[in-house]
């Protein structure tokens, strides 16, 4: 670019020089001494702008052609890269891709009583790609359900901690109940997904705080050094040792001479 600009500047500069020397030649024509080079000098000056003009146009045309070619190549590359993201096509407002383990935990905790469907997929999974249009259709038909997408290729370590080893894979979460079901399905077994959606979608009020991931899953995520996730396990009270049961006065005490079978029959009947 700098070379083109410098050559173009020389061309325009040459034009200015031509005009300047042109006036100078006119001055020489008045002088009594011409040295016999007036005609040849003037003719050479008249030819220089044509050669410079041609050279300048050729350089600029070559530059513009190469620039347009680079632009087309860059735009084509951008379109190809965007076309590969099939999981973003047809996405609804209630569909969102998870960015981290913390994002998944927070999204489940903030859902309240709303049903949340976690969709584990992979860009290279043919079954996931074939199922995606139907997922978008179901999401559109169920605006009150939150669909969270987890890209297996970007979150392999997190999926491993959550025990996800088959794709496509789905987990349903609902309020204080936490995970209500989990399964794998394809286009051929989409009825399994529809049935689960119909079963857990109706409005309901669950008692207690939103559960989200199970305790062991949270601990597994926190123990994974590849994830930027921290969690403090809940303190579980230690149960006291069970006291030795005493004889219930309401139950008949078996006689030592009774057989073992008769004793079992008595205890079962007492319960």
């Amino acid at each position: 670019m700098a070379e083109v600009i410098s050559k173009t500047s020389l061309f325009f500069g040459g034009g200015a020089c031509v005009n300047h020397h042109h006036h100078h030649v006119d001055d020489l024509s008045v002088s009594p001494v011409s040295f016999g080079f007036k005609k040849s000098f003037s003719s050479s000056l008249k030819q220089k702008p044509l050669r410079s003009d041609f050279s300048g146009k050729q350089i600029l045309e070559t530059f513009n052609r190469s620039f347009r070619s680079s632009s087309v190549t860059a735009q084509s590359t951008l379109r190809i890269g965007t076309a590969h993201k099939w999981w973003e096509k047809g996405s609804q407002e209630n569909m969102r891709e998870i960015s981290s383990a913390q994002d998944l935990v927070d999204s489940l905790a903030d859902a309240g009583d709303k049903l949340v469907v976690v969709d584990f997929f992979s860009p290279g999974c043919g079954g996931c790609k074939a199922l995606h249009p139907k997922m978008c259709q179901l999401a559109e038909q169920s605006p009150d359900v939150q669909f969270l997408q987890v890209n297996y290729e970007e979150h392999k370590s997190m999926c491993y901690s959550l025990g996800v080893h088959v794709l496509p894979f789905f987990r349903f979460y609902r309020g204080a109940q936490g995970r209500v079901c989990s399964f794998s399905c394809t286009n051929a077994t989409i009825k399994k997904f529809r049935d689960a959606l119909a079963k857990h979608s109706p409005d309901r009020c669950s008692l207690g705080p939103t559960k989200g991931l199970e305790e062991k899953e949270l601990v597994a995520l926190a123990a994974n050094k590849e994830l930027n996730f921290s969690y403090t396990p809940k303190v579980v009270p230690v149960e006291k040792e069970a006291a030795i049961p005493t004889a219930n006065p309401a139950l008949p005490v078996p006689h030592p001479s009774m057989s073992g079978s008769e004793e079992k029959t008595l205890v079962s009947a007492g319960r």
Side-chain angles (χ1 to χ4, degrees):
M1 183 66 181
E3 183 181 357
V4 173
I5 293 174
S6 63
K7 290 184 178 180
T8 310
S9 301
L10 286 174
F11 162 64
F12 289 111
C17 290
V18 169
N19 293 333
H20 174 71
H21 288 296
H22 188 272
H23 291 297
H24 187 64
V25 171
D26 291 340
D27 294 341
L28 288 176
S29 65
V30 180
S31 174
V33 183
S34 61
F35 297 101
F37 66 91
K38 173 183 175 183
K39 184 176 180 180
S40 60
F41 182 71
S42 300
S43 61
S44 64
L45 288 176
K46 290 179 181 179
Q47 293 176 359
K48 282 184 178 180
L50 296 176
R51 288 197 301 270
S52 300
D53 183 59
F54 176 77
S55 178
K57 286 183 178 179
Q58 185 178 18
I59 293 171
L60 289 174
E61 184 177 333
T62 303
F63 170 75
N64 291 333
R65 186 163 55 248
S66 62
F67 178 78
R68 287 194 298 269
S69 177
S70 300
S71 300
V72 171
T73 303
Q75 292 176 1
S76 301
T77 304
L78 182 60
R79 291 193 188 100
I80 291 173
T82 304
H84 282 177
K85 294 187 177 182
W86 54 261
W87 58 94
E88 294 181 354
K89 291 184 178 180
S91 294
Q92 304 299 317
E93 294 183 358
N94 55 338
M95 300 178 70
R96 186 172 65 84
E97 188 172 347
I98 291 298
S99 60
S100 64
Q102 188 66 56
D103 186 19
L104 175 61
V105 173
D106 293 341
S107 299
L108 291 174
D110 297 339
D113 289 334
K114 181 184 295 186
L115 177 63
V116 180
V117 177
V118 182
D119 176 9
F120 296 88
F121 75 97
S122 173
C125 172
C128 303
K129 183 177 181 180
L131 194 60
H132 179 70
K134 290 189 177 180
M135 289 294 104
C136 296
Q137 183 180 5
L138 291 171
E140 184 179 9
Q141 296 172 357
S142 310
D144 295 332
V145 180
Q146 179 67 56
F147 287 77
L148 301 178
Q149 298 171 296
V150 179
N151 190 332
Y152 180 84
E153 295 301 325
E154 295 183 0
H155 306 287
K156 287 184 179 180
S157 186
M158 180 178 70
C159 292
Y160 179 80
S161 297
L162 295 177
V164 177
H165 305 293
V166 61
L167 297 174
F169 193 74
F170 301 92
R171 281 182 176 172
F172 286 52
Y173 295 86
R174 185 72 187 259
Q177 294 177 292
R179 190 203 308 179
V180 291
C181 67
S182 59
F183 54 87
S184 176
C185 76
T186 60
N187 240 344
T189 57
I190 188 64
K191 185 178 182 301
K192 185 190 301 185
F193 188 95
R194 294 180 185 275
D195 293 344
L197 197 62
K199 179 180 179 181
H200 302 288
S201 290
D203 293 336
R204 65 185 71 174
C205 181
S206 57
L207 301 177
T210 304
K211 185 176 180 180
L213 295 180
E214 297 180 359
E215 180 73 10
K216 62 179 181 180
E217 294 175 331
L218 294 171
V219 173
L221 291 176
N224 192 331
K225 302 300 181 182
E226 298 181 11
L227 303 177
N228 186 17
F229 178 77
S230 58
Y231 175 74
T232 304
K234 296 179 180 179
V235 179
V236 180
V238 180
E239 296 181 0
K240 296 181 179 180
E241 294 183 2
I244 300 175
T246 56
N248 189 345
L251 296 176
V253 180
H255 194 272
S257 61
M258 297 177 63
S259 63
S261 59
E262 293 175 342
E263 183 178 351
K264 290 180 182 180
T265 305
L266 271 175
V267 172
S268 300
R271 290 180 183 176

